[in-house]
Amino acid sequence: MDIRQLRYFLAIANSGQISIAAKKLHMSQPPLSQQIRQMENELGVMLFERKRNGRRIELTNAGKILYDKAENFLNSFDETLLEVREAGEGIRGTISIGTVLSCVSHLPEKIKSFNKHYPNVSFKLFGSDQSDLSLLLENRTIDLAIVRLPLQMENLSVVPLTKEPYVFVISKDTKGFTSKDFISIKEIENFPLLLIHRIKGEGIYERILKEFQRHDVEPNILVECPDVNILLTLITEGIGGSILPKSSVPPILLKEVQVLDIIDIPLQSETVLVYLKERYLSKASQRFIELF
């Protein structure tokens, strides 16, 4: 068995069909099937079993064991190759970074500064929900992620970035609020709320609801959404208000929205940079982390 066969095996396992895997690998189906049969003959076990429809295949128990081991082995192998290459090439390559959209303000200055010192390094950016970023980290699709606590993931190295208050954000055209700099949770009670809600796991949404409960206030929730940019668009149209981290409101929007401090909610947003503890990070990624 060799590295190439393990990659073939993982491609089939992830695709669920040999025909789809063959297309992704840019090869015809018969040679791919032959490689898998050779692996099964060498190991003396069946790695896949066909479902009743004859097209989809699933891993056997033996295949599931090999899948976990092969995935870890190939990740380690690829990271070792990267480390060896970097010993001779210096700092170059691509850094893949994921960020929740409300944290994107942490990146422009750092990328600009990094590019001046390391012009041979490029970036791939992924903006997504926190749960999606966790999967991208686990799959090694991204090297780093900028997220907000709490996290539903273990085995991470965590670099604290900032702490900031949550504020109430409304349209500048909202009547009765134009002369105010702060607001109480009781005043928000009947206002249509547009709240950030993670796709998976607990986050600020649940913490905000607990604050309403603590003050014996029933919130009027109109919209739940994981994308802060969508919420800000709705706010500028006067549809409602939102409780957001202060930095998630870009300066360009301050002409259209009003930001009010909430006097009786002690919520703080904690932004952190995270990466997997057990993986090798490229020199470029290590240098980028040092900027923070």
Side-chain angles (χ1 to χ4, degrees):
M1 191 188 311
D2 58 30
I3 294 290
R4 179 172 49 92
Q5 287 176 320
L6 285 178
R7 295 195 191 280
Y8 291 165
F9 166 74
L10 286 178
I12 295 172
N14 290 329
S15 300
Q17 293 186 30
I18 293 180
S19 59
I20 295 175
K23 289 180 181 178
K24 291 181 178 180
L25 293 167
H26 305 291
M27 63 188 296
S28 60
Q29 186 172 337
L32 182 57
S33 299
Q34 185 179 8
Q35 290 293 326
I36 296 303
R37 283 196 297 271
Q38 288 178 1
M39 289 180 67
E40 291 178 328
N41 290 336
E42 181 180 344
L43 294 170
V45 295
M46 296 293 293
L47 298 174
F48 295 99
E49 58 182 358
R50 291 191 178 276
K51 304 308 290 181
R52 291 182 179 179
N53 60 21
R55 292 185 178 181
R56 286 199 61 81
I57 58 176
E58 289 186 358
L59 291 169
T60 61
N61 288 334
K64 290 176 181 176
I65 293 173
L66 180 61
Y67 181 89
D68 291 337
K69 300 295 184 181
E71 192 173 41
N72 290 332
F73 173 78
L74 287 176
N75 283 333
S76 178
F77 180 75
D78 290 340
E79 289 163 11
T80 299
L81 290 182
L82 173 62
E83 187 173 1
V84 171
R85 289 193 187 106
E86 286 190 333
E89 292 180 353
I91 297 178
R92 58 177 63 245
T94 302
I95 306 175
S96 298
I97 306 173
T99 179
V100 293
L101 296 175
S102 61
C103 295
V104 73
S105 60
H106 288 272
L107 285 175
E109 182 184 339
K110 295 294 190 293
I111 291 176
K112 185 176 181 181
S113 173
F114 194 84
N115 181 244
K116 288 181 180 178
H117 291 90
Y118 305 106
N120 293 321
V121 177
S122 60
F123 292 85
K124 284 186 179 178
L125 301 182
F126 298 76
S128 190
D129 178 80
Q130 200 134 311
S131 59
D132 290 337
L133 294 180
S134 296
L135 291 175
L136 292 176
L137 277 172
E138 289 177 356
N139 297 335
R140 269 106 167 147
T141 303
I142 59 176
D143 306 306
L144 323 166
I146 297 178
V147 297
R148 295 188 188 276
L149 298 180
L151 289 171
Q152 307 293 323
M153 188 176 174
E154 299 178 350
N155 299 319
L156 291 176
S157 293
V158 179
V159 179
L161 299 183
T162 58
K163 287 185 179 182
E164 59 179 315
Y166 278 85
V167 293
F168 189 59
V169 185
I170 53 175
S171 167
K172 275 264 174 92
D173 297 330
T174 305
K175 294 180 180 180
F177 292 90
T178 53
S179 61
K180 295 176 70 70
D181 294 320
F182 55 85
I183 194 171
S184 70
I185 194 169
K186 186 67 178 176
E187 293 176 277
I188 300 174
E189 182 173 15
N190 297 316
F191 204 89
L193 283 178
L194 322 172
L195 296 182
I196 289 181
H197 196 174
R198 291 182 183 178
I199 295 173
K200 293 180 182 178
E202 289 194 3
I204 187 56
Y205 179 86
E206 288 76 16
R207 294 168 65 188
I208 288 174
L209 291 189
K210 286 180 182 178
E211 285 298 316
F212 277 102
Q213 292 173 359
R214 188 168 70 86
H215 287 83
D216 197 26
V217 172
E218 185 68 30
N220 175 23
I221 300 173
L222 177 62
V223 174
E224 300 172 10
C225 177
D227 190 329
V228 69
N229 290 328
I230 293 176
L231 295 182
L232 287 170
T233 299
L234 297 178
I235 290 170
T236 60
E237 294 297 324
I239 293 173
S242 187
I243 298 174
L244 298 170
K246 197 166 189 176
S247 67
S248 65
V249 183
I252 195 171
L253 270 187
L254 293 179
K255 293 181 180 180
E256 300 181 58
V257 301
Q258 187 174 357
V259 178
L260 306 177
D261 293 326
I262 308 173
I263 59 175
D264 47 3
I265 293 185
L267 291 178
Q268 291 272 314
S269 172
E270 298 182 58
T271 304
V272 294
L273 182 148
V274 296
Y275 53 94
L276 291 177
K277 284 182 178 179
E278 72 272 13
R279 72 168 295 182
Y280 171 78
L281 283 178
S282 67
K283 287 182 180 178
S285 295
Q286 294 174 39
R287 295 290 186 275
F288 190 74
I289 291 171
E290 289 171 6
L291 288 179
F292 290 90

